Amino acid sequence: HDLRHTLTGRLAVESDMRHALDRGEFEMYYQPQVDIQSQRIRGMEALIRWNHPNRGLVTPNDFIPIAEECGLIAPISEWVLNAACKQAQTWRAAKLAPISLGVNLSARQIEHPHFVEKFIQSLKDNGVDGQGIEIELTESTLMRDMEGAIEKLRRLADQGVEISIDDFGTGYSSLAYLKKLPVHTLKIDRSFIQDLVTPSNGGTIVAGIIAMAKGLHLNVVAEGVETRTQLEYLESIGCDAYQGYLYSRPVAVGDATVLLKPH
């Protein structure tokens, strides 16, 4: 009974998802990335939400895994990229403070033979250049086709696009790929930040990641920062920026725009 109930639920989500793009049910939320020294917003991470007519606002954890399994992740990821590029242009036209806008990409999207061309075309269609657009990739995504990813990401880096490794520390954490890839930023996974009580193991790992990143001349962003104690420790060990509930939850575009306006 439980298995049948679960399967029926997944099939219903998959069926609804196939129509969600056409119905305009997806929307973008944005979470600020804040410079630790200046406490100014230096970037936004674009995060998809599904405004389901019956289920309400559905978070990515509840539908992205299903989208990956049923082959819908590619068109959804393309929609996210276009929506983010369009929003970046809107904010630039409004003369708001320049920021980077981070977009999460899937393995299927990168593996597409015309991924780079489609990415650049999306930038052109929305009137933005690569400067200020940041690609966020997980380690596991990169490891599916490292050599192919290196060549494609270098081409995008040549366009000014920045490359960020998301959830760093939870995957393979191979130092070799950090030397090969045109990486600009490491984002420390929130699981390490949650354990951040000096001098715990979590603190040792975070300090080690930051020291390594500095040696490689990479920026470091801590994810999931929720307390002042966590932030103070991150500042003491030289972390560049953070995002998390301490500053702001992911918010709709109207609230994100207010956050970007001079106070």
Side-chain angles (χ1 to χ4, degrees):
H1 173 78
D2 290 342
L3 181 59
R4 189 184 309 117
H5 179 75
T6 301
L7 180 60
T8 302
R10 288 176 66 87
L11 290 174
V13 171
E14 179 181 338
S15 176
D16 290 349
M17 207 185 318
R18 291 187 182 278
H19 301 290
L21 279 172
D22 295 334
R23 294 171 179 166
E25 293 174 1
F26 291 119
E27 59 184 274
M28 298 303 295
Y29 272 50
Y30 301 89
Q31 186 172 38
Q33 294 178 359
V34 185
D35 183 274
I36 288 181
Q37 292 300 319
S38 67
Q39 283 298 297
R40 293 179 179 175
I41 296 175
R42 58 179 251 175
M44 288 276 189
E45 181 179 359
L47 300 161
I48 189 172
R49 296 290 186 269
W50 182 5
N51 200 355
H52 193 283
N54 299 320
R55 302 168 189 257
L57 205 61
V58 184
T59 62
N61 289 342
D62 293 324
F63 70 89
I64 290 298
I66 300 175
E68 290 175 337
E69 290 177 12
C70 69
L72 287 172
I73 192 63
I76 290 175
S77 295
E78 288 179 17
W79 181 88
V80 168
L81 177 59
N82 276 302
C85 288
K86 186 178 297 183
Q87 189 57 53
Q89 174 58 18
T90 299
W91 281 334
R92 291 179 190 181
K95 304 292 192 228
L96 297 178
I99 61 166
S100 65
L101 187 56
V103 181
N104 295 278
L105 297 185
S106 69
R108 286 178 182 263
Q109 199 172 2
I110 296 172
E111 289 165 358
H112 191 284
H114 303 298
F115 160 67
V116 175
E117 290 79 7
K118 293 175 76 172
F119 193 102
I120 293 174
Q121 189 60 50
S122 182
L123 295 178
K124 291 180 179 178
D125 289 346
N126 292 286
V128 296
D129 54 30
Q131 298 286 344
I133 299 296
E134 184 176 42
I135 294 174
E136 298 195 10
L137 304 157
T138 63
E139 295 167 283
S140 56
T141 293
L142 289 169
M143 289 301 170
R144 283 175 54 143
D145 178 18
M146 174 59 73
E147 294 306 318
I150 289 172
E151 188 270 334
K152 291 174 180 177
L153 294 178
R154 280 180 177 164
R155 289 170 62 191
L156 289 182
D158 290 341
Q159 299 286 324
V161 176
E162 295 200 348
I163 314 298
S164 173
I165 306 300
D166 199 13
D167 300 336
F168 186 79
T170 60
Y172 296 88
S173 300
S174 167
L175 300 185
Y177 77 75
L178 290 180
K179 293 175 63 178
K180 294 180 180 179
L181 286 164
V183 177
H184 302 87
T185 302
L186 299 183
K187 298 186 72 177
I188 303 175
D189 186 69
R190 65 180 62 247
S191 62
F192 298 119
I193 305 304
Q194 289 171 353
D195 294 335
L196 211 53
V197 180
T198 311
S200 70
N201 290 337
T204 303
I205 292 171
V206 170
I209 292 174
I210 292 174
M212 178 196 67
K214 295 302 180 184
L216 295 170
H217 306 291
L218 301 176
N219 294 315
V220 187
V221 178
E223 298 182 284
V225 176
E226 299 180 357
T227 69
R228 179 64 57 180
T229 300
Q230 292 169 341
L231 180 59
E232 289 173 353
Y233 181 70
L234 290 166
E235 182 176 16
S236 73
I237 58 176
C239 187
D240 299 303
Y242 74 99
Q243 69 182 85
Y245 289 1
L246 179 63
Y247 190 89
S248 173
R249 293 173 177 267
V251 293
V253 62
D255 292 330
T257 302
V258 170
L259 289 174
L260 291 173
K261 289 181 178 179
H263 292 84

